[in-house]
Amino acid sequence: AVQLPGVSTIWTMPIINRIDMLTTGIRSEVGVKIFGSDLRVLEDLGRKVANVIRNVPGASNVYPEQVTSGQYLNVEVDRSAAARYGIGVGDIQQVVENAVGETTLTTTIEGRERFPVRVRYAPEYRADAHALGGVLVSGPSGTQVPLSQVARIQHARGPAMISSENGLLLATILLNVQGRDVGGFVEEARATVAREVKLPAGYYLGWSGRWENQERARQRLQIVLPIVLLIIFILLYFTYHSVAEAAHVLLAVPFALTGGVYLLWLLGYNFSVAVWVGFIALFGTAVQTGVVMVIYLEEAVERKRQALGGTLTHAALKDAVIEGALLRLRPKVMTVSTVVAGLLPIMWSTNVGAEVMKPLAIPVLGGMVSSLVHVLIVTPVIFFWLRERQLGLHGESLPVAPRRTVSHRAAIATFAVVLVAAGAYAAWHFDGRSGDNPPPGRADTDVIQTLRSGDLEIVLRSQAGALRQGRNVFSIEFRRPASAALVDVGTVRASGNMAMPARCDTVRRGATGKDSPW
């Protein structure tokens, strides 16, 4: 409904559109600014850069702004002819202003509404250059002279809009990024453009858009993140007065980072500022749970020491660590379950703001699960190693513990639960991806358009039922009208004309009924 010739649409929210224009001058996620001194050269470079960027994976809706696409009607006063008739240049310009433009005579007031009253020539007297040339210009003696006798009227092309920045003329290329992270895309696109597009002397490129804000935030996070970890380590050192103990508890950070990264990868999210903010929140929570676990272990060791009269054996230390870890098992599981239960509604939400909250919640959700494993299993083991060396018990051997037999029924049930969960996730994951891009040529596709070319019938099919804004998947069939048999027509070339160029994947249907890319 919005595809108009010569008009390119952009889908955005009004407020963020204004903010983007005020901050960067770019209305899309990523933009390329070309600076120079000649508008025609800038427009030509814009087309070349846009063609190169379209081949970079992830580029979407690449649109070079048309700089010199404006249509103008120039009226140039012939001063010699005007002087022969005794007509001044200002008189001619006044006639053109009244005829093509308009003159406001007065304002009418109707209640609370005000309407200007404007006067100008009727459309038939100003519709084209020939009609405008017949407009009469009055001379000093009252002589009526046609405008074409004292001025040259001609159509011309010129800049529709002249943009400048930093004292230079500017041409922009607008684009969005889909299916990959913006930072990696810009790095690859920048290298590709620098390699394939040669800029004349005095011209240079600048990358802008919402991506600039992300770059500034990334540079700040490169400073903030190490400072956060350093502050956590210093606080842990003041708590335990031991570098080894502080490093031991700080090991919860990489374990938590692992779970968050894996969940981001499984759900297909890219790293962003919101993701790193979620990781910072996760690091504090993971370290806090590690501190609480160490407190439980120290209390258990102290109780065991008092029970044995102030001395500890290797076996007693192990029993104390196991006892402290078991005491922390239920509180830790309850803490993680509470966090997960609180974050799951955010993961399922599709309301306004969910696109910001989900990247914040995913690192915390995945990191809490992996930190659960670390705090319950790894932390007690490392605590035991540190204490046995601190007490000089690492030379003693531990008694052999009786082997515990595991029920085959319990093992089979556990394996079945894990297998079912993995199968359910795989089915959901791959079904969701296949639903977005269904293979063309299926039986449930709808016919969009049918054309006749000689003795062939050309059918355009799409599962969506119609071509829409953005990426489309469709198939083209060549068949005989009488028998509906598919015909292999060999190599086929297709071209599309869209207001904002988009990615287009097509297939060729051969006589065998199979799809082959072309």
Side-chain angles (χ1 to χ4, degrees):
V2 297
Q3 296 299 318
L4 302 176
V7 177
S8 297
T9 56
I10 180 172
W11 301 94
T12 183
M13 292 295 181
I15 297 179
I16 190 63
N17 185 29
R18 300 301 182 191
I19 293 175
D20 290 341
M21 285 298 296
L22 289 174
T23 55
T24 63
I26 299 297
R27 301 181 300 277
S28 57
E29 191 173 17
V30 179
V32 183
K33 295 180 179 180
I34 308 178
F35 298 90
S37 57
D38 192 318
L39 289 176
R40 296 187 180 277
V41 176
L42 289 175
E43 186 174 24
D44 181 63
L45 290 175
R47 294 195 186 98
K48 292 180 180 178
V49 172
N51 292 332
V52 172
I53 293 178
R54 288 191 183 101
N55 297 324
V56 178
S60 174
N61 299 333
V62 182
Y63 172 67
E65 288 191 338
Q66 305 301 314
V67 179
T68 61
S69 60
Q71 297 288 341
Y72 293 92
L73 183 64
N74 291 338
V75 180
E76 182 180 357
V77 178
D78 189 344
R79 295 178 178 269
S80 299
R84 287 196 300 268
Y85 289 102
I87 301 174
V89 175
D91 298 333
I92 299 175
Q93 293 176 343
Q94 185 66 40
V95 171
V96 174
E97 179 183 353
N98 295 336
V100 180
E102 55 191 20
T103 302
T104 301
L105 298 181
T106 184
T107 301
T108 176
I109 302 175
E110 301 178 8
R112 295 176 55 85
E113 299 176 344
R114 287 170 168 79
F115 301 97
V117 179
R118 300 187 177 99
V119 176
R120 63 178 176 178
Y121 279 27
E124 57 268 20
Y125 297 107
R126 54 180 172 83
D128 52 31
H130 179 72
L132 187 61
V135 173
L136 299 178
V137 182
S138 298
S141 60
T143 305
Q144 301 290 326
V145 180
L147 182 61
S148 59
Q149 298 294 326
V150 294
R152 290 182 290 272
I153 306 173
Q154 57 186 357
H155 290 281
R157 295 177 63 88
M161 178 179 64
I162 300 178
S163 302
S164 64
E165 187 175 320
N166 295 331
L168 292 174
L169 297 177
L170 173 67
T172 57
I173 298 98
L174 307 178
L175 66 141
N176 293 318
V177 180
Q178 293 182 356
R180 62 180 300 184
D181 65 295
V182 180
F185 170 82
V186 172
E187 290 180 3
E188 181 178 354
R190 178 180 290 171
T192 305
V193 171
R195 184 176 61 253
E196 300 186 12
V197 179
K198 302 301 180 183
L199 300 178
Y203 293 79
Y204 66 94
L205 297 179
W207 294 79
S208 183
R210 208 175 306 162
W211 165 79
E212 276 188 296
N213 300 329
Q214 180 175 332
E215 281 297 297
R216 285 194 292 268
R218 183 180 62 84
Q219 293 174 0
R220 291 192 184 99
L221 284 175
Q222 288 178 347
I223 301 174
V224 171
L225 198 58
I227 293 177
V228 169
L229 296 177
L230 180 61
I231 291 175
I232 293 175
F233 181 80
I234 293 175
L235 293 176
L236 291 174
Y237 177 79
F238 286 149
T239 301
Y240 298 110
H241 301 286
S242 171
V243 175
E245 289 284 358
H248 162 218
V249 178
L250 197 62
L251 278 178
V253 170
F255 272 84
L257 181 66
T258 302
V261 170
Y262 270 108
L263 189 58
L264 285 171
W265 174 71
L266 289 174
L267 297 180
Y269 279 79
N270 296 316
F271 276 91
S272 62
V273 177
V275 169
W276 280 114
V277 171
F279 272 119
I280 291 175
L282 170 65
F283 294 161
T285 306
V287 170
Q288 180 184 8
T289 56
V291 170
V292 176
M293 170 60 81
V294 172
I295 292 175
Y296 271 70
L297 296 176
E298 288 180 343
E299 291 179 350
V301 170
E302 186 61 28
R303 286 195 301 269
K304 181 65 70 173
R305 187 197 304 273
Q306 294 177 1
L308 296 177
T311 59
L312 276 177
T313 62
H314 207 182
L317 177 62
K318 177 183 176 182
D319 294 339
V321 170
I322 294 175
E323 178 186 351
L326 290 177
L327 288 175
R328 182 59 185 155
L329 174 61
R330 182 178 297 176
K332 177 60 180 176
V333 173
M334 291 177 61
T335 301
V336 174
S337 301
T338 304
V339 173
V340 171
L343 295 178
L344 283 180
I346 299 177
M347 302 300 299
W348 294 331
S349 176
T350 56
N351 296 328
V352 177
E355 68 278 1
V356 178
M357 294 305 299
K358 286 183 179 180
L360 283 169
I362 289 175
V364 181
L365 185 61
M368 289 301 295
V369 175
S370 61
S371 67
L372 172 67
V373 178
H374 170 263
V375 171
L376 294 180
I377 299 177
V378 180
T379 298
V381 173
I382 299 178
F383 179 86
F384 176 76
W385 289 346
L386 292 176
R387 283 295 181 272
E388 70 175 357
R389 282 162 175 74
Q390 182 181 354
L391 299 175
L393 302 176
H394 55 280
E396 299 183 11
S397 60
L398 290 172
V400 180
R403 179 175 297 179
R404 299 181 180 180
T405 59
V406 180
S407 173
H408 294 288
R409 182 177 299 178
I412 294 175
T414 304
F415 178 75
V417 170
V418 173
L419 188 62
V420 169
Y425 169 77
W428 167 78
H429 187 65
F430 291 107
D431 182 67
R433 290 192 173 182
S434 62
D436 294 337
N437 299 313
R442 284 172 28 177
D444 56 353
T445 56
D446 298 330
V447 176
I448 299 177
Q449 190 175 6
T450 302
L451 300 175
R452 292 291 298 272
S453 177
D455 58 345
L456 288 179
E457 187 178 63
I458 306 172
V459 180
L460 179 64
R461 291 179 174 271
S462 175
Q463 189 182 26
L467 299 182
R468 60 188 184 273
Q469 179 78 15
R471 188 174 185 270
N472 294 276
V473 179
F474 57 88
S475 63
I476 304 176
E477 296 179 355
F478 301 89
R479 60 190 184 189
R480 302 291 183 186
S483 61
L486 297 177
V487 179
D488 188 355
V489 296
T491 303
V492 179
R493 297 186 182 275
S495 62
N497 185 11
M498 303 181 67
M500 182 173 287
R503 183 177 176 181
C504 178
D505 294 337
T506 56
V507 298
R508 181 185 65 192
R509 174 62 61 86
T512 59
K514 297 182 178 179
D515 297 334
S516 58
W518 58 277

